[in-house]
């Protein structure tokens, strides 16, 4: 098993919202294994998917779909939006439930709790970037 991480960077412009993401190996080489971006036209956008953070979770699902099963997601770094009324980071609880509901536990770092319920150990990091 190899670990990897995903980093999200967003750009909110007057007419568009762009979300870029890159998955890299958690090794000394830090090889990029996946890159993607989504561009949303604000005039044709139902912002619910952006406000909940679900757009990022769907991007992670796409990364899982396109990469080998032996890669485990160890960390996700989100850039906190300067306009939270348009774009928000998913909560840890929402992330964990999305992973469980979509049968993706074998793709993330996790363990079983005392009650045998799965506990997702993948770390979510939120960064506020200036500029």
């Amino acid at each position: 098993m190899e670990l990897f991480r995903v980093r999200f960077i967003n750009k909110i412009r007057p007419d568009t919202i762009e979300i870029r993401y890159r998955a890299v190996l958690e090794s000394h080489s830090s090889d990029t294994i996946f890159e993607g971006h989504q561009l949303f036209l604000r005039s044709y956008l139902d912002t619910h998917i952006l406000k909940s953070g679900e757009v990022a979770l769907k991007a992670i699902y796409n990364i899982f779909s396109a990469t080998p099963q032996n890669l485990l997601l160890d960390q996700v770094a989100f850039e906190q939006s300067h306009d939270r009324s348009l774009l928000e980071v998913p909560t840890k609880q929402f992330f964990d439930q999305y992973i469980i509901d979509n049968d993706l536990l074998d793709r993330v770092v996790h363990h079983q709790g005392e009650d045998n319920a799965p506990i997702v150990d993948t770390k979510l990091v939120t960064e506020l970037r200036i500029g």
Side-chain angles (χ1 to χ4, degrees), residues 71-118:
L71 295 176
L72 294 180
L73 181 60
D74 179 51
Q75 178 181 311
V76 182
F78 296 100
E79 178 182 288
Q80 180 61 62
S81 171
H82 294 286
D83 187 346
R84 293 184 186 180
S85 68
L86 291 173
L87 181 63
E88 186 59 80
V89 171
T91 65
K92 176 70 166 128
Q93 181 180 1
F94 188 52
F95 175 83
D96 292 356
Q97 197 60 53
Y98 184 88
I99 294 297
I100 292 166
D101 290 348
N102 287 280
D103 298 319
L104 297 170
L105 277 172
D106 60 336
R107 300 303 309 272
V108 298
V109 178
H110 71 283
H111 70 278
Q112 297 297 110
E114 291 178 11
D115 59 355
N116 286 331

Side-chain angles (χ1 to χ4, degrees), residues 10 12 17 42 47-48 50-53 78-89 126-129:
N10 57 64
I12 298 175
I17 299 172
R42 289 174 71 169
T47 58
H48 173 75
L50 296 173
K51 288 180 184 177
S52 68
F78 296 100
E79 178 182 288
Q80 180 61 62
S81 171
H82 294 286
D83 187 346
R84 293 184 186 180
S85 68
L86 291 173
L87 181 63
E88 186 59 80
V89 171
T126 302
E127 303 169 341
L128 180 59
R129 294 173 56 116

